Amino acid sequence: MYSARLLFFSYKPMKNNSMETHPKGSSARVLLSSVFGPYAQDDEFGSRVINPMELYHNQVTRAQGSFSLRMFHRSWGIMMIQENISAPCSVLDFPTREAFARELTTHKYDIVGISSIIVNVGKVREMCRIVRELSPDSVIVVGGHVAAIPSVEEMIDADHIVRGEGISWMRRYLGEDETAAIRHPAIVSGIDTRIMGVRLPNRKGGTAATIIPSVGCPMGCNFCTTSAFFGGKGKFVNFYETGDELFEVMCRIEAELEVHSFFVMDENFLLHRTRALQLLERMKEAGKSWELSIFASANAIRKYTMEELVELGVSWVWMGLESPRSSYAKLHGEDVTALTRRLREHGIRVQGSTIIGLEHHTPENIIGEIESAVAYKTDFHQFMLYTPVPGTPLYEEMAEQGRMLEDVDLADVHGQYKFNFRHSAISRNDSKRFLDWAFWRDFENNGPSLYRMCQTMLLGWRRYKDYPDPRVRERFAREVKKLSSAYNAALWVMEKEFKKINREVSERIHKLRREVEKEFPVVARLTAAALGPILLWSTRREEHRLARGRTYEPPTFIERRNWIAAG
Ligand code: B12
Ligand code: SF4
């Protein structure tokens, strides 16, 4: 089934004049679509059961069974482009093949833009075919990371393939001002969140808003595709240069979506210290008690005091740990164990990210490296295979050395399956075994991430409940409300269920629940008693569903902008 080779399809050459503008300019009708689903199934277009459209369940909590945190995220790249062009534009997100075909035949589009990452190139090829058949006059523009594949123009039948930042490209193509300020759409971060068999309602204000201050990262780690795609080492594209600009955007979105919480989609938010501190100043002046989930490297985090981070509202950090022995600049001089512990003691949840299969790994030392990663005791832990992805310096290096495996389908190059290159010491099949074991070991040793988050929340609350800055007190009080109610019921369930996996962890969960109940004697006990048995039932029902192979898919979205003006 995986044998569909994607590398040798030949189509007519692409028009290579990407500076031309569309003859209709801003009145061209534009469709921007993500690739079609369903995603979490094995099929000939490149969908894979192990590659669902879910951030956590795909690459972070996938071994955690019914305790896995599950949610979908929209395709922000095309939402950003839609918001920043004045042409009539529809965004079609997570369509089925039929929905995509229907959209093409119901409306006449001058331009069809398709957004994709590399694994989904087979779907892009199929979508181009459908456009040619159903809407032959449309110009096909393909963007996103898929464009980094060498000779991609020979695999798909597109008119333009856009590498790098797409807003300016699309504005230029429509004859619009590509230097105009970037308008940020109001983006609800997570959709259809589910844990322990319960689907949380998509309530207004119930989830964070996504903010995208920049794309790319100047650190330029050799394997990093986001850094490479937007220019590589020393380069990135800033949408908002100053803390003032960011603050204004966040205020508007706070009001529009009724949120206090922001998922800041910037590969290394804290690197831009002046911008972050200016944002903090503005937050203080305006009394904003916001929560920020961010990505940051260890060396960037170190440039701030814990108080600065807490006052800035940082409540969750995604941090690349890579390996205890890795040579990446972002980790130089850092004691990651101590840093992780300190962050958690200050109520900041840590999501670590470790790479399996670095050059120095061998079957002899990899177990020790995984054990060290697990010993960091982060709230969440992502494990990824070392993967030379087209477009990165690592890929070039491996290709030069003749170490890339030729017969790997690009749909399987997502870091969660097997190596796509010849490792000097670890076999392809073993790469999967070590990866799967790392996820399991982290779960078995540290317990469900939900439990670990509860630990961090309690630590943060105890440390900051009497903090002089009322914004900070308000934020911890908001977070602890969940801990003292629903999360305490969840602790009761986890304690019960984890006995089957690791008694010692179950006892740790028990202790934490007692601590929470000491802090909130009435409400915590009452909710555990009332809600606990229901959650236990839904958790077990979910376990059964998962054992029978249940998977989840995102809903389809269609959103139109400037549409009436199109007549
Ligand atoms: C959110 C996200 C997801 C969401 C899904 C989003 C979605 N609806 O598709 C989830 C969590 C589900 C996800 C899953 C996966 N993801 Co992901 N994801 C991201 C993340 C964190 C943010 C993407 C984003 O919105 N960025 C901000 C926007 C503004 O940037 P952008 O999307 O690149 O868009 C810009 C340009 O690319 C361009 N552009 C984009 N589309 C188009 C279209 C047109 C027509 C044009 C002209 C231009 C254009 O213009 C945009 C504005 O400049 C990125 C990392 C990152 N920092 O970007 C990884 C990333 C895109 N994901 C990646 C991967 C590998 C995956 C997975 C395979 C995960 C895995 N197993 O590890 C799965 C695949 C799931 C699947 N079945 O398809 C890789 C892609 C690597 C590659 N070279 O292809 C990235 C880069 C992470 C990484 N560094 O490895 N992902
Ligand atoms: S620090 Fe992270 S985002 Fe930046 S280049 Fe390295 S891996 Fe990529």
Side-chain angles (χ1 to χ4, degrees), residues 36-47:
F36 61 85
Y39 308 96
Q41 61 168 41
D42 293 339
D43 71 18
E44 74 269 33
F45 301 111
S47 285

PDB file of all heavy atoms in Angstrom, residues 36-47:
ATOM      1  N   PHE A  36      -6.618  17.370   1.435  1.00  0.00           N
ATOM      2  CA  PHE A  36      -7.853  16.701   1.834  1.00  0.00           C
ATOM      3  C   PHE A  36      -7.628  15.555   2.821  1.00  0.00           C
ATOM      4  O   PHE A  36      -6.559  14.963   2.886  1.00  0.00           O
ATOM      5  CB  PHE A  36      -8.608  16.201   0.590  1.00  0.00           C
ATOM      6  CG  PHE A  36      -7.845  15.195  -0.245  1.00  0.00           C
ATOM      7  CD1 PHE A  36      -7.870  13.840   0.071  1.00  0.00           C
ATOM      8  CD2 PHE A  36      -7.102  15.598  -1.352  1.00  0.00           C
ATOM      9  CE1 PHE A  36      -7.170  12.911  -0.695  1.00  0.00           C
ATOM     10  CE2 PHE A  36      -6.393  14.674  -2.125  1.00  0.00           C
ATOM     11  CZ  PHE A  36      -6.423  13.329  -1.792  1.00  0.00           C
ATOM     12  N   GLY A  37      -8.669  15.289   3.584  1.00  0.00           N
ATOM     13  CA  GLY A  37      -8.674  14.164   4.513  1.00  0.00           C
ATOM     14  C   GLY A  37      -9.560  13.070   3.947  1.00  0.00           C
ATOM     15  O   GLY A  37      -9.995  13.171   2.800  1.00  0.00           O
ATOM     16  N   PRO A  38      -9.850  12.025   4.683  1.00  0.00           N
ATOM     17  CA  PRO A  38      -9.394  11.781   6.051  1.00  0.00           C
ATOM     18  C   PRO A  38      -7.879  11.538   6.129  1.00  0.00           C
ATOM     19  O   PRO A  38      -7.270  11.115   5.166  1.00  0.00           O
ATOM     20  CB  PRO A  38     -10.188  10.538   6.474  1.00  0.00           C
ATOM     21  CG  PRO A  38     -10.659   9.908   5.213  1.00  0.00           C
ATOM     22  CD  PRO A  38     -10.754  10.975   4.189  1.00  0.00           C
ATOM     23  N   TYR A  39      -7.350  11.851   7.339  1.00  0.00           N
ATOM     24  CA  TYR A  39      -5.897  11.822   7.519  1.00  0.00           C
ATOM     25  C   TYR A  39      -5.411  10.578   8.271  1.00  0.00           C
ATOM     26  O   TYR A  39      -4.382  10.019   7.924  1.00  0.00           O
ATOM     27  CB  TYR A  39      -5.447  13.087   8.283  1.00  0.00           C
ATOM     28  CG  TYR A  39      -5.987  14.347   7.637  1.00  0.00           C
ATOM     29  CD1 TYR A  39      -7.157  14.950   8.099  1.00  0.00           C
ATOM     30  CD2 TYR A  39      -5.355  14.905   6.526  1.00  0.00           C
ATOM     31  CE1 TYR A  39      -7.675  16.083   7.487  1.00  0.00           C
ATOM     32  CE2 TYR A  39      -5.869  16.047   5.906  1.00  0.00           C
ATOM     33  CZ  TYR A  39      -7.031  16.626   6.393  1.00  0.00           C
ATOM     34  OH  TYR A  39      -7.544  17.732   5.774  1.00  0.00           O
ATOM     35  N   ALA A  40      -6.154  10.204   9.304  1.00  0.00           N
ATOM     36  CA  ALA A  40      -5.668   9.118  10.173  1.00  0.00           C
ATOM     37  C   ALA A  40      -6.092   7.749   9.648  1.00  0.00           C
ATOM     38  O   ALA A  40      -6.795   6.989  10.319  1.00  0.00           O
ATOM     39  CB  ALA A  40      -6.178   9.336  11.588  1.00  0.00           C
ATOM     40  N   GLN A  41      -5.719   7.477   8.426  1.00  0.00           N
ATOM     41  CA  GLN A  41      -5.967   6.158   7.842  1.00  0.00           C
ATOM     42  C   GLN A  41      -4.882   5.912   6.805  1.00  0.00           C
ATOM     43  O   GLN A  41      -4.296   6.849   6.297  1.00  0.00           O
ATOM     44  CB  GLN A  41      -7.346   6.135   7.182  1.00  0.00           C
ATOM     45  CG  GLN A  41      -7.453   7.164   6.062  1.00  0.00           C
ATOM     46  CD  GLN A  41      -8.695   6.985   5.194  1.00  0.00           C
ATOM     47  OE1 GLN A  41      -9.763   6.705   5.700  1.00  0.00           O
ATOM     48  NE2 GLN A  41      -8.521   7.150   3.899  1.00  0.00           N
ATOM     49  N   ASP A  42      -4.605   4.662   6.509  1.00  0.00           N
ATOM     50  CA  ASP A  42      -3.599   4.384   5.483  1.00  0.00           C
ATOM     51  C   ASP A  42      -4.279   4.425   4.123  1.00  0.00           C
ATOM     52  O   ASP A  42      -5.280   3.732   3.918  1.00  0.00           O
ATOM     53  CB  ASP A  42      -2.986   2.990   5.700  1.00  0.00           C
ATOM     54  CG  ASP A  42      -2.161   2.924   6.985  1.00  0.00           C
ATOM     55  OD1 ASP A  42      -1.739   3.993   7.473  1.00  0.00           O
ATOM     56  OD2 ASP A  42      -1.954   1.812   7.495  1.00  0.00           O
ATOM     57  N   ASP A  43      -3.782   5.264   3.219  1.00  0.00           N
ATOM     58  CA  ASP A  43      -4.359   5.242   1.868  1.00  0.00           C
ATOM     59  C   ASP A  43      -3.307   5.574   0.811  1.00  0.00           C
ATOM     60  O   ASP A  43      -2.159   5.901   1.131  1.00  0.00           O
ATOM     61  CB  ASP A  43      -5.602   6.152   1.756  1.00  0.00           C
ATOM     62  CG  ASP A  43      -5.258   7.635   1.800  1.00  0.00           C
ATOM     63  OD1 ASP A  43      -4.084   7.997   1.569  1.00  0.00           O
ATOM     64  OD2 ASP A  43      -6.159   8.449   2.063  1.00  0.00           O
ATOM     65  N   GLU A  44      -3.729   5.507  -0.449  1.00  0.00           N
ATOM     66  CA  GLU A  44      -2.759   5.668  -1.538  1.00  0.00           C
ATOM     67  C   GLU A  44      -2.346   7.121  -1.747  1.00  0.00           C
ATOM     68  O   GLU A  44      -1.410   7.398  -2.486  1.00  0.00           O
ATOM     69  CB  GLU A  44      -3.317   5.058  -2.842  1.00  0.00           C
ATOM     70  CG  GLU A  44      -4.413   5.850  -3.535  1.00  0.00           C
ATOM     71  CD  GLU A  44      -5.826   5.458  -3.084  1.00  0.00           C
ATOM     72  OE1 GLU A  44      -5.997   5.085  -1.893  1.00  0.00           O
ATOM     73  OE2 GLU A  44      -6.749   5.543  -3.916  1.00  0.00           O
ATOM     74  N   PHE A  45      -3.036   8.067  -1.087  1.00  0.00           N
ATOM     75  CA  PHE A  45      -2.662   9.476  -1.258  1.00  0.00           C
ATOM     76  C   PHE A  45      -1.643   9.938  -0.219  1.00  0.00           C
ATOM     77  O   PHE A  45      -1.200  11.078  -0.241  1.00  0.00           O
ATOM     78  CB  PHE A  45      -3.905  10.364  -1.200  1.00  0.00           C
ATOM     79  CG  PHE A  45      -4.914  10.016  -2.269  1.00  0.00           C
ATOM     80  CD1 PHE A  45      -6.125   9.440  -1.935  1.00  0.00           C
ATOM     81  CD2 PHE A  45      -4.626  10.245  -3.606  1.00  0.00           C
ATOM     82  CE1 PHE A  45      -7.046   9.108  -2.918  1.00  0.00           C
ATOM     83  CE2 PHE A  45      -5.532   9.909  -4.595  1.00  0.00           C
ATOM     84  CZ  PHE A  45      -6.745   9.331  -4.255  1.00  0.00           C
ATOM     85  N   GLY A  46      -1.339   9.065   0.726  1.00  0.00           N
ATOM     86  CA  GLY A  46      -0.314   9.438   1.709  1.00  0.00           C
ATOM     87  C   GLY A  46      -0.832   9.634   3.118  1.00  0.00           C
ATOM     88  O   GLY A  46      -0.073  10.039   3.999  1.00  0.00           O
ATOM     89  N   SER A  47      -2.120   9.403   3.358  1.00  0.00           N
ATOM     90  CA  SER A  47      -2.592   9.435   4.748  1.00  0.00           C
ATOM     91  C   SER A  47      -2.033   8.215   5.468  1.00  0.00           C
ATOM     92  O   SER A  47      -1.830   7.171   4.855  1.00  0.00           O
ATOM     93  CB  SER A  47      -4.126   9.379   4.801  1.00  0.00           C
ATOM     94  OG  SER A  47      -4.676  10.604   4.435  1.00  0.00           O
TER      95      SER A  47
END
